Amino acid sequence: MMTGIKCCIKKDIKETLRTGKVLLFTLLALGIAVMIMGFTLLFTDIPDYLAMELPGFDIESLESMMRTLYPREVGGSLGVFSYYIGFFYSLIIILACNNIIPKEQKNGKWILPREQGYRGKDFVTSKCIVYGSLAGVSVFVTYMLYYFVACAIFERTITFGNAFFLAILHGFNIFFILDFTLLFATWFKSGVIAAISMIGTVLFVPDIMNILPIGKYLPTYLLTFVYDARSDYGSVVGPFLINLIVFIATYVFAVDRLDREEKNSLKRG
């Protein structure tokens, strides 16, 4: 079994390089980082510029809004960057990867390997490891780069240890988001349904659950925790374990479905 998974991992690594997924995940994260840093440096200077050009103009409310949207302190700026990663990065990688497994099955790419002893479990496990890890590591590395640059420019309001923890956690967030998308596509046999399910969960549930007491016990709290650049680490243990349990259950269900499909295919053959 492990030999089959290892071979599939090597194949999927080559596939991510050939299709440009490695480049997409890396440049997307870096692009968002540059965009947020640029917005922060540009927009927060606008009130000062207006004060010089328009003497007597009341800019206090504008300054307050700019500080809220793009704070010039490391913790707040990391929170904004994390939100854009959770929103735009997740949206794009979901749309880019939701149809990978259904498309391979539809095009018959699993037929020959299955005849040589490979199982659906090998393909799905490999996809989860390669694509999930690639996206998660890209976010982790970019988060830490953003932290170091922000520390050199803005007021440092967050420790290295806290930033490192948040970077790891957000990497796991993206890992789970992409892998759930892949597994749901196996469930529903449709990348579209998987994409809609995950986009709805990632984009809307954290904000809705954030206003409810029960929200801090749900897996989506991991996103909220990073968005707020929190440091009460104990509060993520429960949501992380629940997320892990749900992930394992989703994986087992997906593999079981593929196994049953293979058995039915053999009976028909």
Side-chain angles (χ1 to χ4, degrees):
M1 181 184 72
M2 289 305 299
T3 301
I5 293 175
K6 288 179 180 178
C7 290
C8 287
I9 288 175
K10 292 179 181 178
K11 175 260 182 187
D12 282 328
I13 291 174
K14 293 179 181 178
E15 190 74 9
T16 58
L17 291 169
R18 184 184 66 81
T19 59
K21 292 296 191 305
V22 172
L23 196 61
L24 171 66
F25 291 174
T26 303
L27 293 182
L28 181 58
L30 289 173
I32 291 174
V34 172
M35 181 183 70
I36 299 304
M37 187 65 69
F39 283 174
T40 303
L41 295 174
L42 175 64
F43 292 157
T44 52
D45 284 336
I46 290 178
D48 294 333
Y49 175 79
L50 291 176
M52 290 186 294
E53 295 296 322
L54 301 172
F57 181 73
D58 183 10
I59 62 170
E60 289 185 4
S61 59
L62 181 59
E63 287 180 330
S64 177
M65 182 182 71
M66 289 302 178
R67 284 196 298 267
T68 301
L69 293 176
Y70 300 102
R72 280 204 173 194
E73 48 90 10
V74 179
S77 189
L78 280 172
V80 175
F81 167 69
S82 299
Y83 181 81
Y84 275 72
I85 286 289
F87 194 97
F88 292 107
Y89 187 93
S90 295
L91 175 63
I92 294 174
I93 65 171
I94 288 171
L95 293 176
C97 301
N98 71 88
N99 203 38
I100 290 176
I101 291 178
K103 187 176 181 180
E104 286 193 355
Q105 289 180 295
K106 183 179 179 181
N107 293 340
K109 291 186 176 181
W110 291 9
I111 295 176
L112 184 59
R114 275 176 167 171
E115 291 177 350
Q116 295 176 342
Y118 289 86
R119 298 174 55 195
K121 181 179 182 179
D122 300 331
F123 306 128
V124 171
T125 303
S126 173
K127 290 286 189 299
C128 287
I129 292 173
V130 173
Y131 284 87
S133 298
L134 173 62
V137 170
S138 296
V139 168
F140 168 79
V141 172
T142 307
Y143 190 102
M144 292 309 301
L145 287 174
Y146 190 96
Y147 169 76
F148 290 128
V149 173
C151 283
I153 301 175
F154 306 139
E155 177 188 358
R156 183 172 178 177
T157 57
I158 183 174
T159 65
F160 171 82
N162 193 9
F164 189 78
F165 179 86
L166 293 171
I168 292 176
L169 185 60
H170 216 22
F172 272 113
N173 283 336
I174 301 302
F175 173 89
F176 284 127
I177 288 170
L178 185 49
D179 280 2
F180 276 126
T181 303
L182 295 172
L183 293 173
F184 285 161
T186 304
W187 277 28
F188 301 119
K189 294 300 176 185
S190 170
V192 175
I193 297 177
I196 293 174
S197 301
M198 286 310 302
I199 289 173
T201 300
V202 172
L203 301 191
F204 302 114
V205 173
D207 288 334
I208 295 174
M209 290 296 103
N210 195 34
I211 63 177
L212 300 176
I214 194 176
K216 64 181 181 179
Y217 302 109
L218 299 179
T220 50
Y221 177 73
L222 300 179
L223 288 169
T224 302
F225 188 92
V226 179
Y227 295 164
D228 294 340
R230 302 176 65 94
S231 58
D232 49 332
Y233 308 127
S235 65
V236 303
V237 175
F240 187 87
L241 290 176
I242 293 174
N243 206 0
L244 190 59
I245 292 171
V246 173
F247 175 75
I248 293 173
T250 306
Y251 171 81
V252 170
F253 186 91
V255 169
D256 180 69
R257 184 184 182 102
L258 289 173
D259 285 343
R260 284 188 278 109
E261 287 180 357
E262 288 175 6
K263 291 178 182 178
N264 292 334
S265 177
L266 289 173
K267 288 180 181 179
R268 289 194 298 269

